[in-house]
Amino acid sequence: MISDKMNAALNSQVTKEIYSAYLYMAMSSYSNSIGLKGFANWFMVQYHEEMFHAMKLYEYIHSQSGAVALKAIDEPPPAFEGPLDMMTKTLAHEQMVTRSINDLMDIAISEKDHATRIFLQWYVTEQVEEEENDNDIIDQLKLIKDNPQGLMMLDRELAQRAATVPLDFSKGVSASEG
Ligand code: FEO
Protein backbone atom coordinates (compact mmCIF):
# COMPACT_ATOMS: atom_id res chain seq x y z
CA MET A 1 0.00 0.00 0.00
CA ILE A 2 1.02 3.62 -0.46
CA SER A 3 0.04 6.69 1.54
CA ASP A 4 -2.30 9.32 0.11
CA LYS A 5 0.66 11.71 -0.04
CA MET A 6 2.77 9.21 -1.97
CA ASN A 7 -0.18 8.41 -4.25
CA ALA A 8 -0.66 12.10 -5.08
CA ALA A 9 3.06 12.60 -5.69
CA LEU A 10 3.21 9.57 -8.02
CA ASN A 11 0.16 10.84 -9.91
CA SER A 12 1.91 14.17 -10.36
CA GLN A 13 4.93 12.32 -11.76
CA VAL A 14 2.70 10.55 -14.31
CA THR A 15 1.69 14.01 -15.56
CA LYS A 16 5.32 15.14 -15.74
CA GLU A 17 6.33 12.06 -17.72
CA ILE A 18 3.49 12.51 -20.20
CA TYR A 19 4.37 16.20 -20.53
CA SER A 20 7.95 15.07 -21.25
CA ALA A 21 6.61 12.85 -24.04
CA TYR A 22 4.59 15.77 -25.38
CA LEU A 23 7.60 18.10 -25.26
CA TYR A 24 9.76 15.62 -27.18
CA MET A 25 6.98 15.07 -29.69
CA ALA A 26 7.01 18.86 -30.28
CA MET A 27 10.79 18.77 -30.70
CA SER A 28 10.50 15.85 -33.13
CA SER A 29 7.99 17.79 -35.16
CA TYR A 30 10.17 20.93 -35.16
CA SER A 31 13.22 18.83 -36.18
CA ASN A 32 11.27 17.48 -39.15
CA SER A 33 10.25 21.00 -40.13
CA ILE A 34 13.91 22.11 -40.40
CA GLY A 35 15.05 18.98 -42.26
CA LEU A 36 16.78 17.22 -39.36
CA LYS A 37 15.16 13.81 -39.71
CA GLY A 38 17.73 12.11 -37.46
CA PHE A 39 16.90 14.51 -34.62
CA ALA A 40 13.22 13.93 -35.36
CA ASN A 41 13.80 10.19 -34.94
CA TRP A 42 15.82 10.67 -31.73
CA PHE A 43 13.08 12.79 -30.17
CA MET A 44 10.33 10.40 -31.23
CA VAL A 45 12.22 7.53 -29.57
CA GLN A 46 12.45 9.79 -26.51
CA TYR A 47 8.67 10.29 -26.72
CA HIS A 48 8.18 6.51 -26.48
CA GLU A 49 10.58 6.27 -23.54
CA GLU A 50 8.65 8.94 -21.64
CA MET A 51 5.31 7.24 -22.26
CA PHE A 52 6.89 4.05 -20.93
CA HIS A 53 8.05 5.93 -17.81
CA ALA A 54 4.49 7.21 -17.31
CA MET A 55 3.00 3.72 -17.75
CA LYS A 56 5.38 2.14 -15.26
CA LEU A 57 4.15 4.67 -12.66
CA TYR A 58 0.54 4.11 -13.65
CA GLU A 59 0.87 0.36 -13.16
CA TYR A 60 2.77 0.77 -9.90
CA ILE A 61 -0.01 2.96 -8.46
CA HIS A 62 -2.54 0.28 -9.41
CA SER A 63 -0.36 -2.49 -7.96
CA GLN A 64 -0.38 -0.65 -4.63
CA SER A 65 -4.19 -0.26 -4.68
CA GLY A 66 -3.75 3.46 -5.23
CA ALA A 67 -5.93 5.70 -7.37
CA VAL A 68 -4.70 6.98 -10.72
CA ALA A 69 -5.91 10.56 -11.30
CA LEU A 70 -4.92 11.86 -14.72
CA LYS A 71 -4.38 15.62 -14.91
CA ALA A 72 -4.24 18.14 -17.76
CA ILE A 73 -1.03 18.18 -19.80
CA ASP A 74 0.51 21.59 -20.53
CA GLU A 75 1.07 22.78 -24.07
CA PRO A 76 4.72 22.43 -25.18
CA PRO A 77 6.46 25.27 -27.10
CA PRO A 78 5.52 25.20 -30.82
CA ALA A 79 9.02 26.03 -32.07
CA PHE A 80 12.66 26.19 -31.03
CA GLU A 81 15.80 28.00 -32.14
CA GLY A 82 17.72 25.13 -33.70
CA PRO A 83 19.25 21.87 -32.42
CA LEU A 84 21.39 23.35 -29.63
CA ASP A 85 18.37 25.20 -28.23
CA MET A 86 16.34 21.96 -28.28
CA MET A 87 19.04 19.93 -26.58
CA THR A 88 19.74 22.61 -23.97
CA LYS A 89 16.03 22.73 -23.14
CA THR A 90 15.94 18.92 -23.08
CA LEU A 91 18.76 18.81 -20.53
CA ALA A 92 17.12 21.51 -18.39
CA HIS A 93 13.85 19.59 -18.52
CA GLU A 94 15.53 16.33 -17.52
CA GLN A 95 17.28 18.07 -14.62
CA MET A 96 13.83 19.20 -13.43
CA VAL A 97 12.58 15.59 -13.74
CA THR A 98 15.61 14.38 -11.76
CA ARG A 99 14.77 16.84 -8.96
CA SER A 100 11.18 15.58 -9.04
CA ILE A 101 12.29 11.93 -8.77
CA ASN A 102 14.57 12.90 -5.88
CA ASP A 103 11.60 14.55 -4.14
CA LEU A 104 9.57 11.36 -4.59
CA MET A 105 12.44 9.35 -3.17
CA ASP A 106 12.60 11.69 -0.15
CA ILE A 107 8.91 11.03 0.54
CA ALA A 108 9.40 7.26 0.22
CA ILE A 109 12.37 7.37 2.62
CA SER A 110 10.61 9.61 5.15
CA GLU A 111 7.57 7.30 5.13
CA LYS A 112 9.72 4.15 5.35
CA ASP A 113 7.94 3.04 2.16
CA HIS A 114 10.58 0.58 1.02
CA ALA A 115 8.55 -0.83 -1.88
CA THR A 116 8.23 2.61 -3.48
CA ARG A 117 11.87 3.40 -2.73
CA ILE A 118 12.96 0.25 -4.58
CA PHE A 119 10.54 1.03 -7.44
CA LEU A 120 11.91 4.59 -7.75
CA GLN A 121 15.50 3.36 -7.85
CA TRP A 122 14.94 2.48 -11.53
CA TYR A 123 14.07 6.13 -12.26
CA VAL A 124 17.11 7.42 -10.38
CA THR A 125 19.35 5.31 -12.61
CA GLU A 126 17.40 6.24 -15.73
CA GLN A 127 17.84 9.96 -15.03
CA VAL A 128 21.62 9.59 -14.83
CA GLU A 129 21.57 8.00 -18.29
CA GLU A 130 19.20 10.63 -19.73
CA GLU A 131 21.27 13.57 -18.52
CA GLU A 132 24.47 11.93 -19.79
CA ASN A 133 22.96 11.35 -23.26
CA ASP A 134 21.80 14.98 -23.45
CA ASN A 135 25.19 16.30 -22.34
CA ASP A 136 26.95 14.15 -24.97
CA ILE A 137 24.82 15.59 -27.78
CA ILE A 138 25.23 19.15 -26.47
CA ASP A 139 29.02 18.69 -26.43
CA GLN A 140 28.94 17.47 -30.05
CA LEU A 141 26.73 20.39 -31.13
CA LYS A 142 29.14 22.85 -29.50
CA LEU A 143 32.04 21.28 -31.42
CA ILE A 144 30.05 21.39 -34.66
CA LYS A 145 29.07 25.07 -34.20
CA ASP A 146 27.97 26.31 -37.63
CA ASN A 147 29.46 23.46 -39.66
CA PRO A 148 26.62 21.99 -41.80
CA GLN A 149 28.61 18.85 -42.64
CA GLY A 150 29.17 18.11 -38.97
CA LEU A 151 25.49 18.67 -38.24
CA MET A 152 24.46 16.31 -41.04
CA MET A 153 26.82 13.63 -39.68
CA LEU A 154 25.32 13.96 -36.21
CA ASP A 155 21.83 13.88 -37.71
CA ARG A 156 22.68 10.61 -39.48
CA GLU A 157 23.96 9.19 -36.18
CA LEU A 158 20.78 10.16 -34.33
CA ALA A 159 18.72 8.55 -37.10
CA GLN A 160 20.09 5.18 -35.93
CA ARG A 161 18.44 5.36 -32.51
CA ALA A 162 15.71 2.73 -32.07
CA ALA A 163 13.16 2.34 -29.30
CA THR A 164 14.11 -0.26 -26.70
CA VAL A 165 10.93 0.09 -24.63
CA PRO A 166 7.61 -1.64 -25.34
CA LEU A 167 5.34 0.42 -27.57
CA ASP A 168 2.17 -1.56 -26.91
CA PHE A 169 0.89 -0.98 -23.37
CA SER A 170 -2.26 -3.03 -23.66
CA LYS A 171 -0.80 -6.04 -21.81
CA GLY A 172 1.04 -3.96 -19.24
CA VAL A 173 4.66 -2.87 -19.04
CA SER A 174 5.77 -3.76 -15.52
CA ALA A 175 7.56 -6.92 -16.59
CA SER A 176 9.37 -5.14 -19.44
CA GLU A 177 12.83 -3.68 -19.37
CA GLY A 178 13.22 -0.03 -20.31
FE1 FEO B 1 11.09 10.22 -17.91
FE2 FEO B 1 13.19 11.78 -19.43
O1 FEO B 1 12.53 11.27 -17.81
Side-chain angles (χ1 to χ4, degrees):
M1 59 162 285
I2 49 176
S3 70
D4 288 349
K5 181 180 177 183
M6 192 79 245
N7 194 153
L10 291 170
N11 268 321
S12 166
Q13 190 65 31
V14 171
T15 308
K16 285 176 191 163
E17 299 291 348
I18 296 180
Y19 175 77
S20 303
Y22 217 27
L23 175 64
Y24 299 141
M25 189 182 194
M27 288 181 178
S28 179
S29 172
Y30 173 76
S31 299
N32 257 319
S33 75
I34 58 172
L36 292 175
K37 296 205 179 300
F39 277 84
N41 172 71
W42 192 91
F43 279 115
M44 196 50 81
V45 170
Q46 198 62 31
Y47 159 87
H48 287 301
E49 293 226 346
E50 301 301 349
M51 290 305 295
F52 175 68
H53 298 171
M55 287 306 297
K56 271 178 81 80
L57 286 154
Y58 169 97
E59 287 186 4
Y60 180 72
I61 295 167
H62 277 298
S63 77
Q64 295 291 308
S65 303
V68 169
L70 298 175
K71 310 287 187 194
I73 308 297
D74 287 342
E75 190 177 304
F80 303 89
E81 290 167 23
L84 185 56
D85 180 50
M86 280 192 295
M87 290 312 306
T88 305
K89 285 177 175 157
T90 295
L91 176 61
H93 181 73
E94 289 303 329
Q95 288 168 337
M96 182 278 292
V97 173
T98 299
R99 286 193 292 275
S100 181
I101 296 291
N102 286 340
D103 289 345
L104 289 175
M105 190 62 113
D106 285 347
I107 296 172
I109 290 168
S110 72
E111 294 187 350
K112 296 188 169 57
D113 179 351
H114 298 298
T116 303
R117 182 179 56 74
I118 291 166
F119 169 75
L120 289 171
Q121 186 64 50
W122 184 90
Y123 288 83
V124 171
T125 306
E126 178 71 9
Q127 284 309 118
V128 172
E129 188 184 311
E130 295 227 350
E131 288 190 31
E132 186 179 8
N133 289 342
D134 299 341
N135 272 312
D136 284 350
I137 297 173
I138 288 170
D139 286 347
Q140 289 185 67
L141 284 168
K142 284 181 178 167
L143 284 172
I144 287 167
K145 287 195 182 127
D146 297 324
N147 179 338
Q149 276 186 327
L151 183 59
M152 291 321 293
M153 276 179 63
L154 176 59
D155 193 60
R156 275 199 290 273
E157 185 186 322
L158 298 185
Q160 303 305 312
R161 188 182 188 197
T164 57
V165 297
L167 308 183
D168 176 359
F169 302 146
S170 56
K171 304 287 188 296
V173 299
S174 51
S176 308
E177 290 299 314

